[in-house]
Amino acid sequence: MSAAEVARRVVARLLAQGLEHLVVAPGSRSGGLALAAAAAESAGRARLSVRLDERDAGFFAVGAARAGGAPVAVVTTSGTAVGNLLPAVMEAAHAGVPLVLVTADRPLVDHESGANQTTRQSGIFARFVRGEATLPDTADAAAVDHHVTRLVALAAGTRTSQPGPVQLNLALAMPLFEDGPLDPPELAARMVSGAGQPAPVELPLGKATVIVAGDGPPAVGAAAAELAAVTGWPLLAEPTSNARHSAAAVGAYRLLLGAGAGAEIERVVVLGRPTLSRPVSALLARPDVELVVVTGAAEWSDPGHRASVVASGVVAEADPAALGEQWRAWDREWQERRGEAVDPGSGIALADALWRGLPAGARLVVGSSNPIRDLDLAGRREGALAAYANRGLAGIDGVVATAAGVAASEGAGLGTHLVVGDLSLLHSSGGLWLNPHEGRPRLRIWLFDDDGGSIFHGLEQGADAYAAHFERVFGTPHGADLLGLAASLGWAARTAEPEEVAAMAATPVSGPELVRIPLGRADRRAEARRLADLAADVLG
């Protein structure tokens, strides 16, 4: 097969196996793949998104795959283009996000010869991919069909229950283009069935139990909320667990744990991937606590190495000795008294106003560092929303592109919101580029701008002993005009006052908007002390 034929066959087989969305970064060696994807979109058989750089394309695909719940393909040219996918691949690997990386390569005969733009692309992602294949420039249709089918199944976790990224590396020889049809042929799907799931485990009563819901898709959040509703157990739910709207959810759980509220806990049931707080990590590592991990994947999260039960599902009856009402009473008092510790213009207060103000059914993407931790102290909201974050590795890079990918997968809905800090926005500013050929995303960015790394104020390096060097190596004030940057790229950009946030959150998202809310960060360490003191006082 020629390079053009291979490209068309690869795209055809991807579509046949159920992929609907292809993300392309421009390049020469991958040109045939890009043309085949564009022709498929023109024929109404696929969706194509084009991003200027590969790092941005990778995170865009992460967002689209997270929100869409299905594998998304990313197409790149050869050389450093492939290497720029690594951060997104690492995030997808740890978060279980299904990506199919289609990387164009030079002919194998050119390898190790110093040929232009030729490097070791095969195996470049090492253990971060669930599977990989390199097809030589002599590959035939049967080989293409087999490897694409196999890799799509691995990406989706169809047989393994462990979705994630995969790589198809294509050695393509000249000529890359030829006269003839661009449309990929229509192929019949090859069926790959699942391996099945065992029956749920029944949990006996008699142990003081809490439910910890970490980062996870809406289906996982719904399972956590249902278990809490049936049993009466307290639900300690992170913002992106998609369980925070439950009546059983405890908003200030991490502060209550830190103040000693967890002493009576004998069993923890974990759903999703909890990553946000040290008090939760300490709870999950306690040797006196039975740890039950619920996951549909082949692997599970257990950083403390304490899990005694790993199950695809659990069932339990209503627990007459459940701790839920006590924990919710503590939480209600904390929420009523939060003004004693939280300034009305702080990030925590603004995150709470935004969390409560967003309409039910909206989509929310949350940046790492302080934004997601501020949201983690928000109270219970009325009505569910779909919440996402890059918590696989909790990096601050790529979050704007991830949110753009989430917005692109929405279709007709209420719009997508991104809560992000200023350093995260600078890290992923390439995601602000708006492709004029693909419409304007209905994405509103809430920029909590405190001109630097405020999270470090609350960590060990924020102590007075390190004050002489803090701003230089941790605070990193930048003074950048982020409103001007966004406006120059076509975003409707404005500054808002803290008291405007709640009302603005309820307004429809009609296009790309950036709302900057200036914050201070000098009081972060003192605020953390006030929060801890208030939680201790609530517990009495």
Side-chain angles (χ1 to χ4, degrees):
M1 298 175 71
S2 67
E5 289 172 330
V6 168
R8 292 197 305 122
R9 189 76 185 193
V10 166
V11 172
R13 180 48 63 189
L14 288 171
L15 300 181
Q17 297 310 121
L19 265 77
E20 298 177 351
H21 198 165
L22 298 97
V23 181
V24 170
S28 175
R29 188 64 47 166
S30 57
L33 293 159
L35 289 174
E41 182 186 56
S42 296
R45 298 169 57 197
R47 177 168 190 177
L48 172 64
S49 295
V50 179
R51 310 302 294 177
L52 280 182
D53 72 88
E54 290 76 17
R55 180 174 173 273
D56 184 67
F59 278 107
F60 183 96
V62 166
R66 275 185 181 276
V72 173
V74 186
V75 176
T76 76
T77 192
S78 59
T80 58
V82 182
N84 277 301
L85 291 177
L86 181 59
V89 172
M90 293 171 69
E91 171 63 29
H94 287 274
V97 177
L99 301 183
V100 180
L101 317 166
V102 184
T103 55
D105 202 348
R106 302 300 170 114
L108 299 185
V109 71
D110 289 343
H111 285 211
E112 312 301 337
S113 70
N116 180 46
Q117 213 171 85
T118 302
T119 188
R120 299 170 186 171
Q121 294 180 195
S122 179
I124 192 171
F125 301 119
R127 297 180 62 186
F128 294 115
V129 289
R130 304 289 190 254
E132 60 184 326
T134 291
L135 294 183
D137 49 298
T138 57
D140 58 13
V144 169
D145 286 348
H146 167 73
H147 285 291
V148 172
T149 300
R150 179 179 69 88
L151 291 175
V152 169
L154 284 171
T158 304
R159 300 285 299 169
T160 64
S161 299
Q162 192 68 29
V166 298
Q167 181 191 13
L168 177 63
N169 192 53
L170 300 175
L172 300 172
M174 300 292 283
L176 300 175
F177 306 97
E178 59 186 26
D179 294 336
L182 297 176
D183 289 354
E186 295 200 29
L187 304 176
R190 292 186 169 184
M191 188 183 75
V192 181
S193 65
Q197 295 288 344
V201 172
E202 184 173 355
L203 296 180
L205 304 182
K207 289 189 175 183
T209 303
V210 299
I211 302 167
V212 171
D215 180 66
V220 171
E226 181 180 2
L227 182 63
V230 169
T231 60
W233 295 336
L235 177 57
L236 317 184
E238 294 183 1
T240 57
S241 66
N242 287 289
R244 194 61 174 261
H245 63 283
S246 167
V250 178
Y253 68 91
R254 85 164 188 251
L255 296 176
L256 296 172
L257 283 174
E264 77 279 24
I265 296 173
E266 298 173 298
R267 179 170 59 193
V268 180
V269 182
V270 176
L271 296 92
R273 188 166 185 265
T275 60
L276 275 187
S277 73
R278 294 180 181 182
V280 169
S281 296
L283 171 65
L284 301 183
R286 270 174 44 185
D288 62 324
V289 170
E290 178 189 1
L291 183 61
V292 178
V293 177
V294 181
T295 177
E299 297 183 5
W300 57 92
S301 177
D302 181 17
H305 311 146
R306 303 298 309 172
S308 57
V309 177
V310 179
S312 296
V314 295
V315 292
E317 298 177 355
D319 187 349
L323 302 171
E325 185 49 47
Q326 176 63 76
W327 278 73
R328 288 190 293 276
W330 286 331
D331 189 47
R332 284 193 296 270
E333 181 178 350
W334 188 91
Q335 298 292 347
E336 291 169 359
R337 297 176 56 188
R338 64 185 297 143
E340 300 174 24
V342 178
D343 184 86
S346 74
I348 292 174
L350 296 176
D352 182 71
L354 180 61
W355 178 256
R356 296 174 187 266
L358 288 174
R363 290 186 170 192
L364 174 65
V365 182
V366 191
S368 294
S369 198
N370 268 335
I372 195 164
R373 288 170 174 81
D374 289 345
L375 276 174
D376 194 37
L377 293 178
R380 190 177 71 86
R381 54 167 283 115
E382 296 296 329
L385 51 75
Y388 306 94
N390 286 337
R391 298 305 299 175
L393 286 179
I396 67 171
D397 51 339
V399 66
V400 176
T402 299
V406 170
S409 70
E410 182 182 33
L414 298 174
T416 299
H417 300 257
L418 166 63
V419 184
V420 68
D422 48 290
L423 291 183
S424 292
L425 188 70
L426 282 171
H427 267 262
S428 53
S429 56
L432 293 172
W433 176 70
L434 302 172
N435 190 329
H437 301 287
E438 296 179 4
R440 296 170 65 79
R442 292 188 302 118
L443 172 61
R444 178 179 293 153
I445 297 177
W446 299 88
L447 171 61
F448 286 14
D449 186 359
D450 54 21
D451 192 29
S454 61
I455 191 171
F456 298 114
H457 286 276
L459 300 178
E460 289 83 353
Q461 53 265 63
D464 291 342
Y466 312 113
H469 304 293
F470 181 87
E471 284 296 281
R472 175 77 188 281
V473 298
F474 297 113
T476 58
H478 50 81
D481 179 8
L482 298 176
L483 280 183
L485 173 63
S488 72
L489 292 170
W491 291 67
R494 57 159 292 189
T495 295
E497 297 302 320
E499 58 268 22
E500 299 180 76
V501 170
M504 288 184 66
T507 61
V509 181
S510 58
E513 309 170 31
L514 186 142
V515 180
R516 174 183 174 267
I517 305 165
L519 302 174
R521 57 182 169 86
D523 191 42
R524 272 287 185 175
R525 194 169 185 84
E527 181 183 55
R529 287 195 293 268
R530 294 196 302 270
L531 290 169
D533 291 343
L534 176 58
D537 192 53
V538 165
L539 295 180

